[in-house]
Amino acid sequence: MTILFWLEKLKKSFASTGLDYEDLYELIEASIERGRTNFPAFIYEASKGFGFSVGEGYFYSLDQDWDDPEEFNEVSFFLGEVETSSVSVFDYVFLMKIAADVYSAFFPEERDSVLNSAKRLEERYSKKSPV
């Protein structure tokens, strides 16, 4: 039940930013609800530059998913073989930091690991300017 409250709070927090958050939120929600991963693992993989696939054709990509990571300049979301949206790296990091803060408030026992992953994510992409 706490997971449902966390996801509700996350959606409200994302919505309050005015950013294009919907595909990222849907991917996080589907990943958790389908039991594919939990948020600490989700953000940990992101901090290493890997996106996540909920299922075939339902994923997002980060630099380590690209053939040439140096060309990575936006976070792309896919449903099927079609790109449904993309956000700047800057906005993606901002949203993931919000997600880490919201998650930490609901699951304080995982706070340190989640916030450390958020910090590594920010450091990884700090050289990518807003698109």
Side-chain angles (χ1 to χ4, degrees), residues 2-3 8 11 16-17 35 43 50 53 58 76 78-79 87 96 101 111 118 121:
T2 305
I3 289 177
E8 288 175 22
K11 189 171 190 173
S16 72
T17 67
I43 195 169
F50 294 101
S53 176
Y58 190 19
S76 301
F78 296 85
L79 182 54
V87 297
M96 288 295 282
D101 288 340
R111 179 180 175 80
L121 179 70

Side-chain angles (χ1 to χ4, degrees), residues 83-103:
E83 181 178 336
T84 56
S85 71
S86 62
V87 297
S88 72
V89 175
F90 180 83
D91 287 351
Y92 168 77
V93 170
F94 181 70
L95 290 168
M96 288 295 282
K97 286 173 49 184
I98 288 171
D101 288 340
V102 172
Y103 185 88

Side-chain angles (χ1 to χ4, degrees), residues 2-122:
T2 305
I3 289 177
L4 294 177
F5 291 131
W6 171 69
L7 288 171
E8 288 175 22
K9 175 67 174 170
L10 178 61
K11 189 171 190 173
K12 289 177 184 173
S13 296
F14 276 2
S16 72
T17 67
L19 298 174
D20 185 10
Y21 71 90
E22 290 85 358
D23 284 346
L24 176 59
Y25 174 80
E26 294 297 329
L27 219 144
I28 291 171
E29 179 185 49
S31 300
I32 292 168
E33 287 182 350
R34 294 180 186 182
R36 299 277 297 138
T37 193
N38 58 35
F39 185 73
F42 188 92
I43 195 169
Y44 175 77
E45 286 299 311
S47 75
K48 296 175 81 179
F50 294 101
F52 189 79
S53 176
V54 176
E56 188 171 337
Y58 190 19
F59 65 96
Y60 82 106
S61 62
L62 295 176
D63 64 301
Q64 294 304 301
D65 303 311
W66 286 44
D67 291 335
D68 184 359
E70 291 299 315
E71 292 183 12
F72 173 71
N73 61 1
E74 66 183 9
V75 179
S76 301
F77 299 90
F78 296 85
L79 182 54
E81 298 303 316
V82 178
E83 181 178 336
T84 56
S85 71
S86 62
V87 297
S88 72
V89 175
F90 180 83
D91 287 351
Y92 168 77
V93 170
F94 181 70
L95 290 168
M96 288 295 282
K97 286 173 49 184
I98 288 171
D101 288 340
V102 172
Y103 185 88
S104 295
F106 280 85
F107 303 97
E109 67 280 1
E110 297 178 90
R111 179 180 175 80
D112 290 344
S113 68
V114 167
L115 294 181
N116 283 336
S117 291
K119 182 178 178 185
R120 284 191 305 273
L121 179 70
E122 182 176 31

